[in-house]
Amino acid sequence: MLIRKMSACWKWIREVNKINHNERSMAKILVIDDEDTIRRTVAASLEAAKYQIFKAADVKKGLKILDNETIDLVLSDLRLPDGSGIDLLRAAKAKEYPCEVIIMTGYATLDTAIQAMQEGASDYVTKPFNIGELSVRIERALQQKQLRRKVRRLERELHERFHPDNIISNSANMQKVLEQVKNIAPTDSSVLITGESGTGKELIANAIHLLSKRSEHPFIAVNCGALPESLLESELFGHVRGAFTGATNTRAGLIESSDGGTLLLDEIGDASIPVQTKLLRVLENGTIRRVGDTQERKINIRLLAATNKELTREITAGRFRQDFYYRINVIPIHLAPLRERLEDIPLLAKFFLKRHAARISKQIEEIDSAVIEKLMQYSWPGNIRELENLIEYAVAMADSEMIRIKNLPFTFSQESPVQNKSRADLLQQEILPIAEIEKRHILLVLEKVNWNQRKACDLLQISKVTLYRRLKEYGISPPGGNAPGGKKRSQALKGQNTKFK
Ligand SMILES: Nc1ncnc2c1ncn2[C@@H]1O[C@H](COP(=O)(O)OP(=O)(O)OP(=O)(O)O)[C@@H](O)[C@H]1O
Ligand SMILES: [Mg+2]
């Protein structure tokens, strides 16, 4: 199953793994204790560990330091002359100081520890403690702080990316869609998003989730077309141990994992009738049953579905349940193909130029008007995804501050396709060697299918090996990809469904 949880998740994991050790070891720590010896010994040991240390003997002085310094971590005694460590913790939280708090206590009871943690302390240590143990707890708390900060930043980025204000729309058509998204997001109604491939269905689904009251809960996207029926069922509903060969553990499914949040059933037109029947039960009863289980579990999800198929036609063909269709199609949103909203092209092109130039730190500010003209003339079978890929390619190729025709992929910078020409035109035109025509045709097909080698092989009716050989022979690379035969490329060619990018 291809679970396209937002690519930001991977980014998040990478970020988490990249915690900057130097930044952590220069952290500012405030030690608050009324006992002078404790303050001094703890401070001296931590200073040796290369933290910057501040000291205070009571709550009041501690808060004063917090007012003036950006402290990363407070190490506070529980009992202080003018209050308690928990008073300080509350005050720090109320003022939203970005610090973690560890409570030190000589009177550790479970109750105090629980109270401190409930009030938001990162940890507590019992006196007497050894400095090694304390350092481990400090490191852990600082790491937590950094993770929290990164999660907040990534959440902000995600929010920015999927917020309707950052979804490019110039056309009346798209503006209407965005208006609709804003209106229906706060409701819990099911939404069916239709549109050709690459028109922004997943983007719209994300925006609905982010603008809904479920935004703090998970958003999970499941591609119903990517797995055989039996696997899809167990991925969606989970299974109990022994439910089928290979089910060695009991596992919750994706529907349960999205409890409280939003589930996007992408390519819903590819779900089998039995899966549709089970999904219908989820929608009607608000319960699910894991494969092989007898227990029904209550579930609270908002269902969004997306497809590029004409579902009414699927119903007529007997491949889609009509009652299920009515359940998911409470609010229909249709995304027009890019060729029907040409006025979005210049804005989208500039938007993608900014995104990709920034990503590879290239100073490219403009797009030549001749390029925009060409973009407006093209039919965009791969819609916005294809436009983004093309701009990414052009950004990689550009050698000045402006994207020019010569930076576009080969098939774009060429004259109009041969089939649009009259016989007289054809007789007039330059005669090309067969190899050149083959190269141009392969490029055209690859661009049409968004560099998906499997689809390209299907259309060209050749094997993957043949396609690979031709790419190598003609020196064709995907936008931003390695040369054929390079590591990335040869790996990409191995996978049945692997896209070049
Ligand atoms: N209006 C828009 N503004 C900015 N970016 C957009 C817009 N519409 C689509 N995109 C971008 O285009 C790409 C394709 O969009 P998305 O994946 O949502 O399409 P899709 O309809 O789900 O495609 P498919 O049917 O192939 O799954 C994404 O990178 C998305 O961020
Ligand atoms: Mg999609």
Side-chain angles (χ1 to χ4, degrees):
M1 156 125 3
L2 186 63
I3 307 163
R4 276 152 319 134
K5 281 209 75 172
M6 296 158 282
S7 59
C9 283
W10 292 111
K11 196 172 156 197
W12 185 80
I13 291 166
R14 279 203 304 272
E15 291 283 337
V16 166
N17 289 336
K18 263 196 318 195
I19 291 174
N20 183 329
H21 198 79
N22 287 337
E23 204 182 313
R24 229 190 303 156
S25 51
M26 281 313 292
K28 291 181 179 176
I29 299 183
L30 168 63
V31 182
I32 313 179
D33 201 302
D34 52 335
E35 269 185 64
D36 190 41
T37 28
I38 295 214
R39 262 196 332 267
R40 272 192 289 120
T41 45
V42 171
S45 333
L46 293 180
E47 242 152 12
K50 294 218 172 56
Y51 296 116
Q52 194 180 345
I53 303 298
F54 298 79
K55 287 173 273 183
D58 53 39
V59 175
K60 197 168 159 215
K61 289 192 191 103
L63 286 173
K64 193 150 181 233
I65 296 177
L66 281 171
D67 278 339
N68 297 326
E69 290 287 338
T70 313
I71 297 292
D72 295 295
L73 185 134
V74 179
L75 194 58
S76 174
D77 195 12
L78 182 67
R79 292 197 181 172
L80 292 162
D82 56 347
S84 77
I86 292 181
D87 293 334
L88 178 122
L89 175 66
R90 282 190 198 132
K93 295 280 163 203
K95 290 193 171 181
E96 296 187 2
Y97 290 129
C99 60
E100 300 293 313
V101 178
I102 296 180
I103 299 289
M104 303 182 280
T105 172
Y107 317 88
T109 63
L110 199 55
D111 283 352
T112 7
I114 290 173
Q115 194 195 349
M117 302 296 275
Q118 275 174 344
E119 300 268 353
S122 311
D123 208 345
Y124 73 98
V125 283
T126 315
K127 289 180 189 171
F129 47 79
N130 74 44
I131 212 75
E133 179 199 349
L134 182 64
S135 308
V136 169
R137 288 174 190 266
I138 288 177
E139 277 295 293
R140 209 165 46 199
L142 289 173
Q143 195 171 340
Q144 239 177 48
K145 175 177 185 272
Q146 217 160 2
L147 281 180
R148 235 175 275 184
R149 212 179 59 201
K150 284 192 166 139
V151 168
R152 263 200 305 274
R153 182 169 55 75
L154 290 170
E155 272 176 355
R156 244 194 339 264
E157 273 177 28
L158 264 187
H159 200 270
E160 245 174 62
R161 182 164 179 145
F162 295 117
H163 193 280
D165 293 345
N166 296 317
I167 297 178
I168 303 302
S169 70
N170 202 17
S171 56
N173 190 315
M174 265 313 274
Q175 305 237 343
K176 228 165 95 188
V177 166
L178 292 187
E179 200 50 43
Q180 201 181 0
V181 164
K182 281 181 193 157
N183 291 334
I184 56 106
T187 72
D188 252 349
S189 311
S190 302
V191 182
L192 178 64
I193 311 166
T194 54
E196 289 180 9
S197 178
T199 44
K201 298 186 291 296
E202 194 163 346
L203 185 73
I204 292 294
N206 265 293
I208 294 175
H209 172 71
L210 281 178
L211 289 180
S212 77
K213 51 185 185 293
R214 296 172 176 265
S215 61
E216 299 294 313
H217 298 278
F219 172 85
I220 293 185
V222 185
N223 185 337
C224 301
L227 261 201
E229 186 191 324
S230 55
L231 282 180
L232 177 64
E233 196 181 324
S234 104
E235 283 293 326
L236 281 173
F237 298 92
H239 59 253
V240 293
R241 195 169 158 208
F244 48 85
T245 327
T248 45
N249 289 314
T250 294
R251 229 185 83 191
L254 293 169
I255 300 181
E256 271 180 77
S257 308
S258 50
D259 194 21
T262 308
L263 179 71
L264 168 64
L265 294 174
D266 210 350
E267 317 290 0
I268 189 71
D270 293 337
S272 67
I273 294 272
V275 169
Q276 292 170 33
T277 308
K278 292 200 164 114
L279 287 168
L280 183 62
R281 201 168 58 216
V282 175
L283 289 177
E284 281 177 345
N285 304 346
T287 57
I288 64 141
R289 194 172 336 139
R290 294 178 181 173
V291 177
D293 203 356
T294 47
Q295 193 191 337
E296 294 275 342
R297 289 161 204 270
K298 270 236 150 296
I299 204 83
N300 169 15
I301 53 162
R302 181 189 201 171
L303 191 98
L304 307 179
T307 182
N308 53 21
K309 283 192 176 164
E310 181 64 69
L311 288 186
T312 45
R313 211 176 295 155
E314 295 299 299
I315 294 171
T316 315
R319 287 189 292 263
F320 210 83
R321 286 183 64 136
Q322 191 162 27
D323 46 2
F324 184 51
Y325 173 72
Y326 288 129
R327 278 315 285 228
I328 58 173
N329 193 27
V330 178
I331 298 171
I333 293 186
H334 180 69
L335 300 176
L338 192 54
R339 63 185 168 279
E340 286 173 22
R341 39 177 164 130
L342 293 179
E343 57 275 48
D344 286 347
I345 290 179
L347 264 189
L348 279 165
K350 279 177 196 141
F351 175 77
F352 293 136
L353 165 69
K354 226 166 132 190
R355 178 185 285 172
H356 292 289
R359 201 174 47 82
I360 58 169
S361 309
K362 257 189 165 177
Q363 195 79 41
I364 310 170
E365 310 283 342
E366 280 177 82
I367 302 177
D368 193 350
S369 56
V371 171
I372 296 285
E373 209 173 300
K374 268 233 178 283
L375 301 185
M376 304 276 280
Q377 282 162 2
Y378 182 59
S379 64
W380 300 107
N383 292 292
I384 297 162
R385 182 179 296 111
E386 188 182 5
L387 174 61
E388 177 165 8
N389 288 347
L390 177 121
I391 300 293
E392 183 181 352
Y393 178 98
V395 167
M397 295 297 162
D399 50 7
S400 72
E401 289 196 347
M402 185 185 270
I403 301 278
R404 298 175 197 280
I405 293 275
K406 66 173 182 177
N407 306 132
L408 296 183
F410 193 72
T411 43
F412 248 88
S413 47
Q414 296 306 299
E415 296 169 78
S416 350
V418 170
Q419 51 269 45
N420 287 351
K421 296 190 169 185
S422 71
R423 192 171 162 71
D425 286 341
L426 288 173
L427 287 172
Q428 287 297 313
Q429 82 178 23
E430 175 197 1
I431 300 298
L432 295 170
I434 286 186
E436 184 59 32
I437 291 175
E438 183 177 62
K439 176 182 173 182
R440 290 183 186 198
H441 187 59
I442 290 175
L443 262 170
L444 178 75
V445 171
L446 281 168
E447 281 162 21
K448 184 180 168 77
V449 297
N450 199 21
W451 295 85
N452 181 316
Q453 51 137 344
R454 185 179 50 78
K455 286 188 188 161
C457 289
D458 287 349
L459 286 175
L460 292 165
Q461 297 187 10
I462 56 174
S463 69
K464 274 191 291 175
V465 176
T466 307
L467 176 63
Y468 179 62
R469 220 182 288 129
R470 295 285 186 276
L471 296 179
K472 207 168 167 192
E473 199 176 310
Y474 298 136
I476 301 173
S477 308
N482 293 351
K487 199 166 168 238
K488 183 174 158 195
R489 173 63 70 84
S490 50
Q491 278 168 351
L493 282 164
K494 268 187 216 148
Q496 167 87 355
N497 286 318
T498 322
K499 290 185 180 178
F500 283 137
K501 54 182 304 285

